[in-house]
Amino acid sequence: MPRAMFEYTKEILKKVSFDANLFCKELKKATERLLPYELDELKDFILSLMQKNPSLKQCLVYLD
């Protein structure tokens, strides 16, 4: 079941990646729900999203 939450989180983050503030809010929620190794995978996913939308870089503070 946790893997389903990880996939769901990625879908939500993709959908809100147009707005950095909304993206940060959803990322903060994700850090409370996901397991530590999933957060590492999520960071890689976010880095790939940042190539298309550099304004998302400010949200990385939630992953450190």
Side-chain angles (χ1 to χ4, degrees):
M1 188 64 158
R3 200 66 188 167
M5 183 57 74
F6 176 69
E7 293 301 324
Y8 175 74
T9 299
K10 283 178 29 180
E11 287 300 314
I12 295 297
L13 290 174
K14 265 193 257 186
K15 289 180 181 179
V16 299
S17 63
F18 67 93
D19 181 356
N21 290 328
L22 191 53
F23 188 87
C24 287
K25 187 185 291 186
E26 291 298 327
L27 181 58
K28 185 177 179 187
K29 285 188 214 175
T31 61
E32 296 166 0
R33 287 189 294 232
L34 297 177
L35 299 171
Y37 73 91
E38 290 175 322
L39 290 174
D40 291 337
E41 289 181 49
L42 190 64
K43 187 172 185 175
D44 294 336
F45 171 74
I46 291 171
L47 291 174
S48 69
L49 280 179
M50 279 180 13
Q51 292 176 349
K52 296 177 185 170
N53 190 349
S55 67
L56 300 177
K57 187 174 185 172
Q58 68 189 13
C59 301
L60 285 178
V61 296
Y62 293 109
L63 293 177
D64 292 330

